[in-house]
């Protein structure tokens, strides 16, 4: 099942819940938007403060 299919199913379920008991909702519920990017293992961009201390320094 694709993310868009899951999103459509969420919309359908929320609409049914609202139709059945609208008093339980402040407004018509809407599922959160789909993320723009999804990673299994996102790339890490090393920043200076994330590097281990002492790397690249001459031994004393």
């Amino acid at each position: 099942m694709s993310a868009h299919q899951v999103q459509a199913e969420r919309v359908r379920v929320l609409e049914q819940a609202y139709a059945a008991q609208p008093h339980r909702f402040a407004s018509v519920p809407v599922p959160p938007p789909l993320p723009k990017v999804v990673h299994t293992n996102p790339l890490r961009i090393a920043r200076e403060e994330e590097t281990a201390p002492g790397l690249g320094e001459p031994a004393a």
Side-chain angles (χ1 to χ4, degrees):
M1 186 177 278
S2 76
H4 295 288
Q5 290 170 322
V6 171
Q7 184 77 345
E9 180 67 12
R10 288 178 178 165
V11 168
R12 187 185 66 75
V13 168
L14 289 172
E15 286 174 348
Q16 285 180 343
Y18 183 75
Q21 298 186 20
H23 61 279
R24 297 189 69 185
F25 298 88
S27 63
V28 178
V30 178
L34 293 174
K36 294 185 187 306
V37 178
V38 178
H39 293 283
T40 301
N41 295 312
L43 296 174
R44 284 191 55 163
I45 299 173
R47 296 187 314 208
E48 212 172 312
E49 57 269 8
E50 289 179 352
T51 59
L55 287 181
E57 296 176 3

Short mmCIF file of all heavy atoms in Angstrom, two decimals:
data_model
loop_
_atom_site.label_atom_id
_atom_site.label_comp_id
_atom_site.label_asym_id
_atom_site.label_seq_id
_atom_site.Cartn_x
_atom_site.Cartn_y
_atom_site.Cartn_z
N MET A 1 0.86 -1.17 0.00
CA MET A 1 0.00 0.00 0.00
C MET A 1 0.91 1.24 0.00
O MET A 1 1.84 1.32 0.79
CB MET A 1 -0.91 -0.04 1.23
CG MET A 1 -1.94 1.05 1.25
SD MET A 1 -3.08 0.96 2.65
CE MET A 1 -4.24 -0.23 2.07
N SER A 2 0.63 2.18 -0.86
CA SER A 2 1.45 3.39 -0.95
C SER A 2 1.07 4.39 0.13
O SER A 2 0.00 4.30 0.75
CB SER A 2 1.28 4.04 -2.33
OG SER A 2 0.04 4.71 -2.39
N ALA A 3 1.94 5.35 0.35
CA ALA A 3 1.68 6.38 1.35
C ALA A 3 0.42 7.17 1.00
O ALA A 3 -0.35 7.54 1.90
CB ALA A 3 2.89 7.31 1.46
N HIS A 4 0.19 7.40 -0.27
CA HIS A 4 -1.00 8.15 -0.68
C HIS A 4 -2.28 7.35 -0.42
O HIS A 4 -3.31 7.92 -0.06
CB HIS A 4 -0.90 8.56 -2.15
CG HIS A 4 0.21 9.53 -2.40
ND1 HIS A 4 0.16 10.83 -1.99
CD2 HIS A 4 1.41 9.36 -3.00
CE1 HIS A 4 1.28 11.45 -2.32
NE2 HIS A 4 2.05 10.57 -2.93
N GLN A 5 -2.21 6.04 -0.57
CA GLN A 5 -3.36 5.20 -0.27
C GLN A 5 -3.64 5.20 1.24
O GLN A 5 -4.79 5.25 1.66
CB GLN A 5 -3.12 3.77 -0.76
CG GLN A 5 -3.12 3.64 -2.26
CD GLN A 5 -2.66 2.26 -2.71
OE1 GLN A 5 -1.75 1.68 -2.12
NE2 GLN A 5 -3.27 1.75 -3.77
N VAL A 6 -2.58 5.13 2.04
CA VAL A 6 -2.75 5.16 3.49
C VAL A 6 -3.33 6.51 3.91
O VAL A 6 -4.24 6.57 4.75
CB VAL A 6 -1.39 4.91 4.20
CG1 VAL A 6 -1.50 5.16 5.70
CG2 VAL A 6 -0.91 3.50 3.93
N GLN A 7 -2.85 7.58 3.31
CA GLN A 7 -3.37 8.92 3.62
C GLN A 7 -4.86 9.02 3.27
O GLN A 7 -5.64 9.57 4.04
CB GLN A 7 -2.56 9.98 2.86
CG GLN A 7 -2.92 11.40 3.18
CD GLN A 7 -2.36 11.86 4.51
OE1 GLN A 7 -1.91 11.08 5.32
NE2 GLN A 7 -2.38 13.15 4.72
N ALA A 8 -5.23 8.47 2.13
CA ALA A 8 -6.64 8.50 1.73
C ALA A 8 -7.50 7.70 2.70
O ALA A 8 -8.61 8.10 3.05
CB ALA A 8 -6.79 7.96 0.31
N GLU A 9 -6.98 6.58 3.17
CA GLU A 9 -7.71 5.77 4.15
C GLU A 9 -7.85 6.52 5.47
O GLU A 9 -8.90 6.47 6.12
CB GLU A 9 -6.97 4.44 4.37
CG GLU A 9 -7.63 3.52 5.37
CD GLU A 9 -8.98 2.98 4.91
OE1 GLU A 9 -9.34 3.11 3.73
OE2 GLU A 9 -9.69 2.41 5.76
N ARG A 10 -6.82 7.22 5.90
CA ARG A 10 -6.90 8.03 7.12
C ARG A 10 -7.98 9.10 6.99
O ARG A 10 -8.75 9.32 7.93
CB ARG A 10 -5.56 8.71 7.40
CG ARG A 10 -4.50 7.78 7.89
CD ARG A 10 -3.21 8.52 8.10
NE ARG A 10 -2.18 7.64 8.61
CZ ARG A 10 -0.89 7.92 8.62
NH1 ARG A 10 -0.47 9.08 8.16
NH2 ARG A 10 -0.03 7.05 9.09
N VAL A 11 -8.03 9.75 5.85
CA VAL A 11 -9.05 10.78 5.62
C VAL A 11 -10.44 10.16 5.72
O VAL A 11 -11.33 10.70 6.38
CB VAL A 11 -8.85 11.47 4.25
CG1 VAL A 11 -10.05 12.32 3.88
CG2 VAL A 11 -7.57 12.27 4.24
N ARG A 12 -10.62 9.00 5.10
CA ARG A 12 -11.92 8.32 5.12
C ARG A 12 -12.33 7.97 6.54
O ARG A 12 -13.47 8.22 6.96
CB ARG A 12 -11.87 7.05 4.26
CG ARG A 12 -13.22 6.37 4.08
CD ARG A 12 -13.10 5.05 3.33
NE ARG A 12 -12.36 4.05 4.08
CZ ARG A 12 -12.85 3.38 5.14
NH1 ARG A 12 -14.06 3.61 5.56
NH2 ARG A 12 -12.12 2.48 5.76
N VAL A 13 -11.41 7.42 7.32
CA VAL A 13 -11.72 7.02 8.70
C VAL A 13 -12.05 8.25 9.55
O VAL A 13 -13.00 8.23 10.34
CB VAL A 13 -10.55 6.22 9.30
CG1 VAL A 13 -10.70 6.04 10.80
CG2 VAL A 13 -10.43 4.87 8.61
N LEU A 14 -11.28 9.31 9.40
CA LEU A 14 -11.54 10.53 10.18
C LEU A 14 -12.89 11.14 9.80
O LEU A 14 -13.62 11.63 10.67
CB LEU A 14 -10.41 11.54 9.99
CG LEU A 14 -9.08 11.16 10.66
CD1 LEU A 14 -7.99 12.13 10.24
CD2 LEU A 14 -9.23 11.12 12.17
N GLU A 15 -13.23 11.12 8.53
CA GLU A 15 -14.53 11.63 8.10
C GLU A 15 -15.68 10.82 8.69
O GLU A 15 -16.68 11.37 9.13
CB GLU A 15 -14.62 11.65 6.57
CG GLU A 15 -13.81 12.75 5.93
CD GLU A 15 -13.79 12.67 4.41
OE1 GLU A 15 -14.23 11.63 3.84
OE2 GLU A 15 -13.32 13.63 3.79
N GLN A 16 -15.51 9.49 8.73
CA GLN A 16 -16.53 8.63 9.32
C GLN A 16 -16.67 8.90 10.82
O GLN A 16 -17.79 8.95 11.34
CB GLN A 16 -16.20 7.16 9.09
CG GLN A 16 -16.45 6.69 7.69
CD GLN A 16 -16.11 5.22 7.52
OE1 GLN A 16 -15.40 4.61 8.33
NE2 GLN A 16 -16.61 4.63 6.45
N ALA A 17 -15.55 9.06 11.50
CA ALA A 17 -15.60 9.33 12.94
C ALA A 17 -16.28 10.66 13.21
O ALA A 17 -17.10 10.77 14.13
CB ALA A 17 -14.18 9.33 13.51
N TYR A 18 -15.97 11.65 12.41
CA TYR A 18 -16.59 12.97 12.59
C TYR A 18 -18.08 12.91 12.30
O TYR A 18 -18.89 13.49 13.03
CB TYR A 18 -15.91 14.00 11.68
CG TYR A 18 -16.45 15.39 11.87
CD1 TYR A 18 -16.12 16.15 12.98
CD2 TYR A 18 -17.31 15.95 10.92
CE1 TYR A 18 -16.62 17.43 13.15
CE2 TYR A 18 -17.82 17.23 11.09
CZ TYR A 18 -17.47 17.96 12.21
OH TYR A 18 -17.97 19.22 12.39
N ALA A 19 -18.48 12.18 11.26
CA ALA A 19 -19.89 12.07 10.92
C ALA A 19 -20.66 11.34 12.02
O ALA A 19 -21.81 11.69 12.31
CB ALA A 19 -20.06 11.34 9.59
N ALA A 20 -20.03 10.36 12.64
CA ALA A 20 -20.70 9.57 13.67
C ALA A 20 -20.84 10.35 14.98
O ALA A 20 -21.87 10.25 15.66
CB ALA A 20 -19.94 8.28 13.93
N GLN A 21 -19.82 11.15 15.35
CA GLN A 21 -19.84 11.85 16.63
C GLN A 21 -19.17 13.21 16.52
O GLN A 21 -18.09 13.43 17.08
CB GLN A 21 -19.16 11.01 17.70
CG GLN A 21 -19.87 9.70 17.93
CD GLN A 21 -19.28 8.94 19.09
OE1 GLN A 21 -18.61 9.50 19.95
NE2 GLN A 21 -19.55 7.66 19.13
N PRO A 22 -19.77 14.15 15.81
CA PRO A 22 -19.12 15.45 15.61
C PRO A 22 -18.88 16.23 16.90
O PRO A 22 -17.97 17.05 16.97
CB PRO A 22 -20.09 16.19 14.69
CG PRO A 22 -21.39 15.50 14.85
CD PRO A 22 -21.07 14.07 15.19
N HIS A 23 -19.67 15.95 17.94
CA HIS A 23 -19.50 16.66 19.20
C HIS A 23 -18.16 16.36 19.88
O HIS A 23 -17.73 17.10 20.74
CB HIS A 23 -20.66 16.32 20.15
CG HIS A 23 -20.73 14.87 20.50
ND1 HIS A 23 -21.31 13.94 19.65
CD2 HIS A 23 -20.29 14.18 21.57
CE1 HIS A 23 -21.22 12.75 20.21
NE2 HIS A 23 -20.60 12.86 21.38
N ARG A 24 -17.50 15.29 19.48
CA ARG A 24 -16.22 14.93 20.08
C ARG A 24 -15.04 15.66 19.45
O ARG A 24 -13.91 15.53 19.90
CB ARG A 24 -16.01 13.42 19.96
CG ARG A 24 -17.07 12.64 20.74
CD ARG A 24 -16.75 11.20 20.80
NE ARG A 24 -15.57 11.03 21.66
CZ ARG A 24 -14.96 9.88 21.85
NH1 ARG A 24 -15.40 8.80 21.25
NH2 ARG A 24 -13.92 9.80 22.63
N PHE A 25 -15.28 16.44 18.41
CA PHE A 25 -14.22 17.12 17.69
C PHE A 25 -14.42 18.63 17.75
O PHE A 25 -15.54 19.11 17.67
CB PHE A 25 -14.21 16.68 16.22
CG PHE A 25 -13.94 15.21 16.03
CD1 PHE A 25 -14.98 14.29 16.02
CD2 PHE A 25 -12.64 14.74 15.85
CE1 PHE A 25 -14.74 12.94 15.85
CE2 PHE A 25 -12.39 13.39 15.66
CZ PHE A 25 -13.44 12.49 15.67
N ALA A 26 -13.32 19.36 17.86
CA ALA A 26 -13.39 20.83 17.84
C ALA A 26 -13.66 21.32 16.42
O ALA A 26 -14.29 22.35 16.21
CB ALA A 26 -12.10 21.42 18.37
N SER A 27 -13.13 20.59 15.43
CA SER A 27 -13.35 20.91 14.02
C SER A 27 -13.19 19.61 13.22
O SER A 27 -12.86 18.57 13.79
CB SER A 27 -12.35 21.96 13.53
OG SER A 27 -11.03 21.46 13.62
N VAL A 28 -13.41 19.69 11.93
CA VAL A 28 -13.26 18.50 11.09
C VAL A 28 -11.80 18.04 11.17
O VAL A 28 -10.89 18.82 10.88
CB VAL A 28 -13.66 18.80 9.63
CG1 VAL A 28 -13.46 17.57 8.76
CG2 VAL A 28 -15.09 19.29 9.55
N PRO A 29 -11.56 16.79 11.58
CA PRO A 29 -10.19 16.32 11.71
C PRO A 29 -9.52 16.11 10.35
O PRO A 29 -10.16 15.71 9.39
CB PRO A 29 -10.33 14.99 12.46
CG PRO A 29 -11.71 14.53 12.14
CD PRO A 29 -12.53 15.77 11.96
N VAL A 30 -8.24 16.40 10.31
CA VAL A 30 -7.43 16.25 9.10
C VAL A 30 -6.15 15.53 9.50
O VAL A 30 -5.50 15.93 10.48
CB VAL A 30 -7.09 17.63 8.48
CG1 VAL A 30 -6.23 17.47 7.25
CG2 VAL A 30 -8.36 18.38 8.16
N PRO A 31 -5.76 14.49 8.77
CA PRO A 31 -4.52 13.80 9.13
C PRO A 31 -3.31 14.70 8.84
O PRO A 31 -3.40 15.60 8.00
CB PRO A 31 -4.51 12.56 8.23
CG PRO A 31 -5.35 12.92 7.08
CD PRO A 31 -6.40 13.87 7.61
N PRO A 32 -2.20 14.45 9.51
CA PRO A 32 -1.01 15.25 9.24
C PRO A 32 -0.54 15.04 7.80
O PRO A 32 -0.78 13.98 7.21
CB PRO A 32 0.02 14.73 10.23
CG PRO A 32 -0.48 13.42 10.69
CD PRO A 32 -1.97 13.42 10.51
N PRO A 33 0.12 16.04 7.23
CA PRO A 33 0.59 15.89 5.85
C PRO A 33 1.68 14.82 5.74
O PRO A 33 2.37 14.53 6.73
CB PRO A 33 1.14 17.27 5.50
CG PRO A 33 1.47 17.89 6.80
CD PRO A 33 0.50 17.32 7.80
N LEU A 34 1.81 14.27 4.56
CA LEU A 34 2.88 13.30 4.32
C LEU A 34 4.23 14.02 4.36
O LEU A 34 4.33 15.16 3.91
CB LEU A 34 2.70 12.64 2.95
CG LEU A 34 1.49 11.74 2.79
CD1 LEU A 34 1.37 11.28 1.34
CD2 LEU A 34 1.57 10.55 3.72
N PRO A 35 5.25 13.36 4.89
CA PRO A 35 6.57 13.99 4.90
C PRO A 35 7.09 14.16 3.47
O PRO A 35 6.78 13.38 2.58
CB PRO A 35 7.44 13.01 5.68
CG PRO A 35 6.72 11.72 5.66
CD PRO A 35 5.26 12.04 5.47
N LYS A 36 7.88 15.20 3.27
CA LYS A 36 8.45 15.45 1.93
C LYS A 36 9.57 14.47 1.61
O LYS A 36 9.73 14.06 0.47
CB LYS A 36 8.96 16.87 1.84
CG LYS A 36 7.85 17.90 1.92
CD LYS A 36 8.37 19.29 1.70
CE LYS A 36 7.34 20.35 1.92
NZ LYS A 36 6.12 20.25 1.21
N VAL A 37 10.34 14.07 2.63
CA VAL A 37 11.46 13.15 2.44
C VAL A 37 11.43 12.12 3.56
O VAL A 37 11.18 12.46 4.71
CB VAL A 37 12.80 13.92 2.49
CG1 VAL A 37 13.97 12.97 2.35
CG2 VAL A 37 12.85 14.97 1.42
N VAL A 38 11.69 10.87 3.19
CA VAL A 38 11.77 9.80 4.18
C VAL A 38 13.05 9.02 3.92
O VAL A 38 13.34 8.67 2.79
CB VAL A 38 10.55 8.86 4.07
CG1 VAL A 38 10.66 7.71 5.06
CG2 VAL A 38 9.27 9.62 4.27
N HIS A 39 13.81 8.78 4.97
CA HIS A 39 15.06 8.04 4.86
C HIS A 39 15.03 6.85 5.80
O HIS A 39 14.53 6.95 6.91
CB HIS A 39 16.25 8.91 5.27
CG HIS A 39 16.52 10.05 4.37
ND1 HIS A 39 17.13 9.92 3.16
CD2 HIS A 39 16.27 11.37 4.52
CE1 HIS A 39 17.25 11.10 2.60
NE2 HIS A 39 16.72 12.00 3.40
N THR A 40 15.62 5.74 5.36
CA THR A 40 15.82 4.62 6.26
C THR A 40 17.01 4.94 7.14
O THR A 40 16.96 4.80 8.35
CB THR A 40 16.10 3.33 5.46
OG1 THR A 40 14.98 3.10 4.61
CG2 THR A 40 16.30 2.16 6.38
N ASN A 41 18.09 5.38 6.54
CA ASN A 41 19.29 5.79 7.25
C ASN A 41 19.71 7.15 6.69
O ASN A 41 20.44 7.22 5.71
CB ASN A 41 20.44 4.79 7.06
CG ASN A 41 20.12 3.45 7.67
OD1 ASN A 41 19.69 3.38 8.81
ND2 ASN A 41 20.30 2.40 6.91
N PRO A 42 19.24 8.24 7.32
CA PRO A 42 19.56 9.55 6.76
C PRO A 42 21.06 9.84 6.83
O PRO A 42 21.75 9.38 7.74
CB PRO A 42 18.79 10.52 7.65
CG PRO A 42 18.52 9.77 8.90
CD PRO A 42 18.46 8.32 8.52
N LEU A 43 21.54 10.57 5.85
CA LEU A 43 22.94 10.95 5.82
C LEU A 43 23.22 11.94 6.94
O LEU A 43 22.41 12.80 7.24
CB LEU A 43 23.28 11.62 4.48
CG LEU A 43 23.15 10.74 3.25
CD1 LEU A 43 23.38 11.57 2.00
CD2 LEU A 43 24.13 9.60 3.31
N ARG A 44 24.36 11.78 7.57
CA ARG A 44 24.75 12.72 8.61
C ARG A 44 25.82 13.62 8.03
O ARG A 44 26.80 13.14 7.48
CB ARG A 44 25.31 11.99 9.82
CG ARG A 44 24.23 11.36 10.65
CD ARG A 44 24.76 10.89 11.93
NE ARG A 44 25.42 12.00 12.59
CZ ARG A 44 25.71 12.05 13.85
NH1 ARG A 44 25.43 11.04 14.61
NH2 ARG A 44 26.32 13.08 14.39
N ILE A 45 25.64 14.88 8.17
CA ILE A 45 26.64 15.83 7.74
C ILE A 45 27.40 16.23 8.99
O ILE A 45 26.84 16.81 9.92
CB ILE A 45 26.01 17.05 7.06
CG1 ILE A 45 25.23 16.57 5.83
CG2 ILE A 45 27.05 18.08 6.70
CD1 ILE A 45 24.42 17.64 5.17
N ALA A 46 28.68 15.86 9.03
CA ALA A 46 29.49 16.14 10.21
C ALA A 46 29.71 17.63 10.35
O ALA A 46 30.05 18.34 9.41
CB ALA A 46 30.82 15.42 10.11
N ARG A 47 29.46 18.11 11.56
CA ARG A 47 29.75 19.50 11.87
C ARG A 47 30.96 19.51 12.78
O ARG A 47 31.29 18.52 13.41
CB ARG A 47 28.55 20.14 12.57
CG ARG A 47 27.33 20.21 11.69
CD ARG A 47 26.23 21.00 12.32
NE ARG A 47 26.04 20.62 13.72
CZ ARG A 47 24.91 20.70 14.38
NH1 ARG A 47 23.84 21.14 13.77
NH2 ARG A 47 24.81 20.34 15.64
N GLU A 48 31.61 20.63 12.87
CA GLU A 48 32.83 20.72 13.65
C GLU A 48 32.61 20.30 15.10
O GLU A 48 33.41 19.56 15.66
CB GLU A 48 33.35 22.16 13.60
CG GLU A 48 34.85 22.25 13.67
CD GLU A 48 35.32 23.66 13.42
OE1 GLU A 48 34.86 24.27 12.46
OE2 GLU A 48 36.14 24.11 14.22
N GLU A 49 31.52 20.73 15.71
CA GLU A 49 31.29 20.39 17.11
C GLU A 49 30.88 18.94 17.31
O GLU A 49 30.90 18.43 18.41
CB GLU A 49 30.27 21.33 17.76
CG GLU A 49 28.92 21.38 17.07
CD GLU A 49 28.83 22.45 16.00
OE1 GLU A 49 29.82 23.09 15.66
OE2 GLU A 49 27.72 22.64 15.49
N GLU A 50 30.50 18.22 16.24
CA GLU A 50 30.13 16.81 16.36
C GLU A 50 31.33 15.89 16.25
O GLU A 50 31.22 14.73 16.58
CB GLU A 50 29.11 16.43 15.28
CG GLU A 50 27.74 17.02 15.48
CD GLU A 50 26.78 16.62 14.38
OE1 GLU A 50 27.23 16.01 13.40
OE2 GLU A 50 25.59 16.92 14.52
N THR A 51 32.44 16.38 15.77
CA THR A 51 33.61 15.52 15.62
C THR A 51 34.20 15.22 16.99
O THR A 51 34.09 16.01 17.92
CB THR A 51 34.68 16.16 14.70
OG1 THR A 51 35.04 17.40 15.27
CG2 THR A 51 34.15 16.37 13.31
N ALA A 52 34.84 14.07 17.09
CA ALA A 52 35.42 13.68 18.36
C ALA A 52 36.56 14.62 18.73
O ALA A 52 37.33 15.05 17.86
CB ALA A 52 35.93 12.25 18.26
N PRO A 53 36.70 14.96 19.99
CA PRO A 53 37.77 15.89 20.39
C PRO A 53 39.14 15.22 20.17
O PRO A 53 39.31 14.03 20.36
CB PRO A 53 37.51 16.11 21.88
CG PRO A 53 36.62 15.01 22.31
CD PRO A 53 35.88 14.55 21.09
N GLY A 54 40.06 16.03 19.74
CA GLY A 54 41.42 15.55 19.56
C GLY A 54 41.72 14.99 18.18
O GLY A 54 42.87 14.71 17.87
N LEU A 55 40.72 14.80 17.34
CA LEU A 55 41.00 14.28 16.00
C LEU A 55 41.72 15.33 15.19
O LEU A 55 41.33 16.50 15.17
CB LEU A 55 39.71 13.88 15.29
CG LEU A 55 39.02 12.62 15.78
CD1 LEU A 55 37.77 12.36 14.96
CD2 LEU A 55 39.93 11.41 15.69
N GLY A 56 42.75 14.92 14.52
CA GLY A 56 43.49 15.84 13.67
C GLY A 56 44.51 16.68 14.42
O GLY A 56 45.24 17.44 13.82
N GLU A 57 44.59 16.50 15.72
CA GLU A 57 45.58 17.24 16.49
C GLU A 57 46.83 16.35 16.66
O GLU A 57 46.72 15.15 16.78
CB GLU A 57 45.02 17.60 17.87
CG GLU A 57 43.84 18.54 17.80
CD GLU A 57 43.25 18.81 19.17
OE1 GLU A 57 43.79 18.32 20.18
OE2 GLU A 57 42.22 19.50 19.24
N PRO A 58 48.00 16.95 16.65
CA PRO A 58 49.21 16.15 16.82
C PRO A 58 49.27 15.57 18.24
O PRO A 58 48.77 16.14 19.18
CB PRO A 58 50.34 17.16 16.62
CG PRO A 58 49.72 18.51 16.76
CD PRO A 58 48.27 18.35 16.45
N ALA A 59 49.88 14.37 18.33
CA ALA A 59 50.01 13.71 19.63
C ALA A 59 50.97 14.48 20.50
O ALA A 59 51.99 14.99 20.02
CB ALA A 59 50.49 12.27 19.45
N ALA A 60 50.73 14.56 21.79
CA ALA A 60 51.58 15.30 22.70
C ALA A 60 52.74 14.49 23.20
O ALA A 60 52.78 13.34 23.22
CB ALA A 60 50.76 15.82 23.87
#
